[in-house]
Amino acid sequence: MVRLRLEDIDFKQEDFRLYLPLLEAKPGEFLTLLGPSGCGKTTTLRIIAGFEKPDKGKIYFDDTVMNDVPPYERNIGIVFQDYALFPHMTVYDNISFGLKLRKFPKEEIRKRVSWALELVGLKGFEDRYPEQLSGGQQQRVALARALVIEPQLLLLDEPLSNLDAKIRERLRGEIKRIQKELGITTIYVTHDQEEAMAISDRIAVMSVGKIEQVGNPLDLYYNPKNEFVAKFLGLSNILEVNAEEGKAYVGNLCFEVKTEGRVKIFFRPENVYIEEGDMGEIVDYELLPGRIRLKIDVEGRIIIAERFLNEIPFSIEKIPKKVGIKVRSFSILSLSP
């Protein structure tokens, strides 16, 4: 298990700049780089791999500076978005390719490939070619090829983005299981918030060329630092209001903010509880599997609430015009400069 650390990384390419004062992955940690297209997450991965060289800053594997170490000497395993399998090679030959380059003995190669196939659930597929495999199976081959060399660091660049939803969900669970079983430090790149939340020990949320916030999934989800993180991780209620004597009001809805002046209050739809009353007017709703999502107008502000059907004080056949609401948990976001 290796500790990865990026310090004061500055990388410029045409009109794009990536600046990372500090990014660290602990030994054996599953760290996900999450952000929209063009934010720099794949560039960060390429810098770690040695495919791109930063203009300044240092890349550490434990206490070793890796800036001038070529990619093939970094002992990393990489899984690409497009799998990058050799179409003319069998599954066995694809997986064993890195071992053969390293001139491992044939018997050691056979043992390692057998172990990798068992690990990813493809035992018996050794003689098949990539075109004979499903997308999910091809991705398992790519993962096995990355792991068979026993890398100190595993890098995955949007490995599930080309698969359909059900296969993605199953494979992300497999990737997490394998990562925990091997205890390998892993950097995972995705733009999918649900995927990141499901598999990560910690998430680094990125915007254009910078990291906005790093933390464990639940902390980021319920306690985002700013509006970008809040909105990127899911549906949000964000209310910018004035606070007096430590309290901020939206209609009759009171928030104990313990500060004065302008504040930005944040809470998720599932933190809004519905009760009988007339605090807000239901202006729209959506029926979801087992749940209902309500849009409620409170003094001209739209608040989104999401509850299980057995938690609402009315039947969906008779949705009232007005309801009472309570916000059980909220946090304060930083105001935009």
Side-chain angles (χ1 to χ4, degrees):
M1 293 189 290
V2 70
R3 177 188 177 207
L4 169 71
R5 196 166 77 257
L6 305 182
E7 289 187 358
D8 202 28
I9 295 294
D10 202 337
F11 175 84
K12 296 175 185 174
Q13 192 172 61
E14 296 178 356
D15 58 349
F16 175 77
R17 182 192 180 198
L18 174 70
Y19 179 58
L20 308 173
L22 178 65
L23 178 65
E24 183 177 349
K26 303 167 188 174
E29 183 176 39
F30 198 119
L31 175 68
T32 294
L33 306 180
L34 172 68
S37 297
C39 70
K41 52 191 187 295
T42 294
T43 300
T44 302
L45 203 74
R46 290 176 62 81
I47 288 171
I48 295 168
F51 299 146
E52 301 284 0
K53 194 166 183 177
D55 300 308
K56 62 176 286 192
K58 291 183 178 180
I59 305 145
Y60 290 92
F61 287 9
D62 289 330
D63 295 320
T64 304
V65 178
M66 303 298 289
N67 290 52
D68 296 323
V69 178
Y72 58 85
E73 291 183 7
R74 297 193 182 196
N75 190 24
I76 54 177
I78 306 177
V79 179
F80 298 101
Q81 183 176 346
D82 60 357
Y83 320 143
L85 300 179
F86 299 111
H88 62 288
M89 290 185 183
T90 63
V91 167
Y92 184 96
D93 290 335
N94 265 284
I95 295 173
S96 64
F97 184 77
L99 298 174
K100 290 175 180 176
L101 283 179
R102 290 166 173 78
K103 302 188 185 305
F104 275 76
K106 284 187 178 180
E107 183 58 22
E108 179 67 15
I109 290 175
R110 186 192 66 77
K111 286 181 181 178
R112 288 204 183 195
V113 173
S114 178
W115 166 82
L117 285 165
E118 185 80 37
L119 187 69
V120 301
L122 287 179
K123 200 168 181 66
F125 286 72
E126 295 91 326
D127 297 326
R128 297 195 189 184
Y129 287 87
E131 65 179 10
Q132 297 173 307
L133 304 175
S134 68
Q137 289 168 339
Q138 289 182 40
Q139 193 57 284
R140 287 170 187 259
V141 174
L143 182 59
R145 183 179 60 187
L147 293 171
V148 77
I149 62 170
E150 297 184 356
Q152 61 180 337
L153 185 65
L154 179 62
L155 308 178
L156 301 108
D157 187 8
E158 305 223 30
L160 307 181
S161 61
N162 292 334
L163 304 174
D164 66 47
K166 286 187 177 180
I167 296 174
R168 271 204 315 271
E169 190 171 334
R170 186 172 73 247
L171 272 185
R172 76 189 185 202
E174 285 294 295
I175 289 172
K176 182 65 173 177
R177 174 189 64 80
I178 291 168
Q179 188 268 340
K180 285 303 178 190
E181 186 176 320
L182 300 180
I184 186 171
T185 308
T186 299
I187 310 298
Y188 190 98
V189 164
T190 184
H191 63 272
D192 188 311
Q193 301 92 326
E194 182 179 322
E195 191 171 287
M197 295 283 291
I199 62 178
S200 309
D201 293 322
R202 288 191 306 146
I203 299 170
V205 181
M206 299 183 68
S207 61
V208 183
K210 65 179 180 178
I211 292 174
E212 294 286 350
Q213 190 175 355
V214 181
N216 70 62
L218 282 180
D219 190 42
L220 289 179
Y221 185 74
Y222 286 114
N223 298 290
K225 184 177 75 173
N226 56 38
E227 190 167 337
F228 177 86
V229 177
K231 288 182 174 179
F232 195 78
L233 285 176
L235 278 177
S236 307
N237 290 295
I238 298 173
L239 306 172
E240 194 167 336
V241 292
N242 281 314
E244 294 180 5
E245 299 180 354
K247 295 180 180 180
Y249 287 90
V250 177
N252 292 324
L253 197 59
C254 178
F255 298 90
E256 300 274 354
V257 296
K258 299 178 181 178
T259 189
E260 303 290 315
R262 202 73 178 160
V263 293
K264 192 177 285 187
I265 297 166
F266 157 81
F267 49 96
R268 296 288 178 194
E270 58 268 28
N271 286 333
V272 181
Y273 288 73
I274 304 299
E275 56 190 18
E276 293 180 351
D278 60 358
M279 187 179 292
E281 180 182 353
I282 297 174
V283 294
D284 197 8
Y285 69 91
E286 291 178 89
L287 286 175
L288 306 168
R291 312 187 311 281
I292 187 169
R293 183 178 295 156
L294 301 162
K295 288 186 178 180
I296 303 166
D297 186 317
V298 179
E299 298 290 324
R301 308 284 189 106
I302 297 297
I303 292 176
I304 302 172
E306 191 168 311
R307 308 304 311 166
F308 288 109
L309 294 179
N310 62 0
E311 294 177 329
I312 55 177
F314 52 82
S315 71
I316 58 172
E317 288 82 13
K318 293 183 179 180
I319 295 177
K321 198 166 186 180
K322 293 189 175 183
V323 291
I325 63 174
K326 285 184 179 178
V327 177
R328 298 288 175 88
S329 178
F330 68 91
S331 61
I332 305 297
L333 303 180
S334 61
L335 291 167
S336 303

